[in-house]
Each structure stands twice: as structure tokens, then as C-alpha cells.
Amino acid sequence: MIDVANAAGVSAMTVSNVINGRPGVSAQTRLRVLATISKLGYQVNLAARHLRAGRTGAVGLIVPDIDRPYYAQLASRLAKGVEERGLHLVVERTGGDAERELEAISFGRLRMYDGVVISPLRVEAADLDQLRFETPVVFIGERPVPETFDHVMMDNVGGARQATRHLLTTGSRRIAIVGGRHDDHVDDMPSLRTRGYRQAHVELGADVDEDLVIEVESFDPASGFQAVKRLHESGIAFDGVFALTDAAATGVLRALADLRLEVPRDVQVIGFDNGKETEFLVPRLSSVEPGNDAMADRVLELLDHRVAAAGDGGDAPDPMTTIVTARLALRESTR
């Protein structure tokens, strides 16, 4: 900083203010300091800075995939909050593999971060129950985790129940569920949302035709497209579709358009996740809003509490489980 200050003709404190992004430095002076740093080839040693502070300056987000709109938008929300705290978000992809999920939260890997947010798909609660983390960790998603960890979940059952009730109360009687499960006794996303679908039918006195429960391997547009095509080719009548993700619903809309079925006149369609793309589909997609912003805010709050407690050397706060309320975002694809 002294070398840069001498070359730029400013004080070392001014250089410090510039490289730390503090206010009180004019734009002209800031540019001169930055140009001098570039000319001299100096770089801020972030590793040394964080080592001295006992921090890494990074928060890890560990998710199954990065090409699904839901995870991409979750990363964007968390990145904004993390950056406001002067940190950086690092995203890791596990591919939904149990071994890679466990590896991502191993002791050595966790030391790379000040906090970690993980959305597991395969790791078992029994495996997690044997682990103790010094690094703050918040779990997200519906996969069961021990009560010794912070956990933020969306209301999968309640959101699916609301979506199905809306289709039933607006005239649909034969509602296909794309991505549903015939056996919904496992606490994963498809099973929980299928449970809500079934509950809505029971509450309104409607029967569930198991032929309308369409299992898929993935929840992408191609799966939604193929599910509707298979349903149509089988001759099974349907007048509503509840797709378990907005991505699958995108494929559903394409298939219905190819079949010359009008949405919502002939078939109502509703998705789940309320991603940003829903506003720009034709027709605009109705969806379950699972509280995306509230989930991100809650995750950051929990990390803040644990990071602060670790820095103060105080007792760690009690683990908390949060279920964020879901609501419907109704648009043109439903009546």
C-alpha cells in the first residue's frame, strides 16, 4: 500500500479505502489508485487477509445441478445476500450422488468456507447424524436431516395441495400429475408433492386415477413433453396437468400446443417453483410460489447467527427447522 500510495501521490489510508471499497474517495482519485495498482502489477492478497481475520471470505452452495432454473435462481438470490455481507458465493455441483454430497461436507472441504448451504438428494439422515461441523451449515430441501442441523424447507405438500385444489375448483376433473409417484411414502420432492395432490382430491371428494400419475426420471422440459405425448397416445382422457416443476410444465405446454389443445380452455396447466421464466411462456404459466425470497433470506439469517456466534466464541444457537409458506401465482394457463 505504501508503494502504491507513493506512486499515486496519495496517502496509504486512501489506498486502503480504495481496495476495501470504502466511501469517501472521489471517483478521480479512486481511478488513479486503481490504475497505479494495475501498472505496478500488485494484487490484494485475499488469502492472507482472510487468514489474519480467521475467515475465508467465501460461502459454499452445494446443489445437485446448476443447469436447472430453480438452482440457478437460488444461487443468484444467495449470491446477492452474500455479496452484501462482503463475501463471495462458490457453487459446487454434486450430480445428486450421495458420495459426492458427503465429500462436499467433509471436514477438509468445509474449511474452505465461512458457511455452507447444501441441498442434498441422496445422503441419508443416519450418515449425517454421525457428523459434527465447526463450519456453519444450513440444509435446504425436503430430504430428512437430523434435528441437530439448521434446515430450511418449502411447503411441498401444502403447495401441491393448493395447486390441485385450484384445478379441481375451476373445472378440471381428470388431473394428470407429471412427475408424481404411485408410492409416495418417501420424503422426497416427488412424493411430498404427490401427497399434496392426493390430499386435495380427498378434501374435495374426487377420485385419483392412478393412470394419471405419470412418473418421470427427470423434471426437465423434455420429460414434461414426453409425459403428455405418452398420455395422449394411450387414449387416457385428461383436462388438467399439475407438473412438479416449472421446467417440466414448459414441456407440457409445448406438447399441448403440438396436439392442438388450447390452454386453459381444453387443459389447465400449473407448475411449481414460480421461476422467472413463467412470466414469458405462452400462455403465462400459473405456478406454486414456494417462498423463494423468504427461503434465501432465512438461510442467510441462520448463517449470520452461527458465524457471529463462532466469531464471538459464544454458545452456538439451537438448530432450527423452518418451513416457508407456499402460495399460488395464478396466470393465463389456469382459469
Side-chain angles (χ1 to χ4, degrees):
M1 284 196 297
I2 293 173
D3 291 344
V4 171
N6 290 335
V10 298
S11 68
M13 179 58 71
T14 297
V15 176
S16 176
N17 289 337
V18 169
I19 63 177
N20 286 290
R22 299 191 189 107
V25 181
S26 70
Q28 184 177 5
T29 301
R30 189 178 299 276
L31 285 172
R32 186 164 76 251
V33 170
L34 292 174
T36 303
I37 292 173
S38 178
K39 181 179 179 180
L40 295 175
Y42 286 179
Q43 294 182 354
V44 179
N45 191 331
L46 294 175
R49 176 192 290 178
H50 294 311
L51 181 63
R52 185 171 61 184
R55 303 278 294 277
T56 68
V59 171
L61 172 62
I62 301 165
V63 294
D65 289 295
I66 56 177
D67 60 348
R68 296 185 186 181
Y70 174 77
Y71 291 120
Q73 292 170 27
L74 170 66
S76 179
R77 289 183 177 93
L78 290 176
K80 181 180 178 183
V82 165
E83 289 162 5
E84 289 172 352
R85 290 159 171 78
L87 304 171
H88 299 282
L89 187 74
V90 178
V91 182
E92 295 191 36
R93 175 187 175 277
T94 64
D97 179 78
E99 289 188 11
R100 290 174 65 181
E101 289 173 351
L102 284 172
E103 179 185 347
I105 52 176
S106 64
F107 177 73
R109 290 279 285 281
L110 288 180
R111 294 183 66 185
M112 298 166 54
Y113 303 115
D114 293 332
V116 167
V117 182
I118 179 170
S119 176
L121 281 187
R122 296 287 182 268
V123 68
E124 298 291 339
D127 294 326
L128 295 173
D129 203 25
Q130 304 176 46
L131 303 177
R132 293 295 180 269
F133 304 135
E134 294 182 6
T135 301
V137 176
V138 177
F139 287 85
I140 57 175
E142 48 286 318
R143 191 75 179 168
V145 302
E147 295 181 355
T148 50
F149 300 115
D150 291 321
H151 192 189
V152 180
M153 298 181 285
M154 61 180 65
D155 186 2
N156 286 285
V157 176
R161 184 171 64 247
Q162 291 181 57
T164 309
R165 281 183 64 96
H166 180 73
L167 295 179
L168 288 168
T169 56
T170 52
S172 293
R173 288 295 175 266
R174 294 186 55 77
I175 302 168
I177 176 171
V178 173
R181 293 288 183 266
H182 293 286
D183 180 3
D184 60 11
H185 297 297
V186 179
D187 286 337
D188 58 11
M189 181 274 282
S191 297
L192 292 171
R193 294 181 187 178
T194 303
R195 215 172 292 169
Y197 165 86
R198 295 183 187 278
Q199 286 180 9
H201 280 79
V202 171
E203 290 169 2
L204 295 178
D207 294 328
V208 173
D209 184 344
E210 290 298 323
D211 288 338
L212 294 175
V213 179
I214 313 300
E215 298 197 6
V216 298
E217 293 185 2
S218 183
F219 299 92
D220 57 7
S223 295
F225 180 86
Q226 293 297 332
V228 170
K229 287 293 184 127
R230 291 198 308 271
L231 196 61
H232 176 75
E233 290 167 0
S234 69
I236 299 171
F238 64 100
D239 57 7
V241 176
F242 170 38
L244 295 198
T245 66
D246 291 341
T250 301
V252 168
L253 291 177
R254 179 69 261 177
L256 292 173
D258 288 354
L259 295 170
R260 300 293 190 269
L261 292 172
E262 187 174 327
V263 178
R265 187 193 67 185
D266 301 321
V267 181
Q268 295 193 87
V269 179
I270 192 165
F272 200 117
D273 290 333
N274 198 35
K276 295 178 181 179
E277 69 279 6
T278 55
E279 294 275 7
F280 302 98
L281 299 174
V282 180
R284 292 181 176 88
L285 179 66
S286 294
S287 185
V288 177
E289 164 54 60
N292 292 313
D293 290 336
M295 284 187 65
D297 290 343
R298 183 56 178 155
V299 166
L300 292 168
E301 286 176 7
L302 291 168
L303 284 179
D304 284 344
H305 292 160
R306 294 208 169 272
V307 170
D312 296 339
D315 294 333
D318 292 332
M320 298 188 67
T321 298
T322 304
I323 301 177
V324 177
T325 303
R327 63 174 179 82
L328 297 184
L330 300 177
R331 301 186 180 91
E332 298 169 347
S333 67
T334 55
R335 303 183 195 113

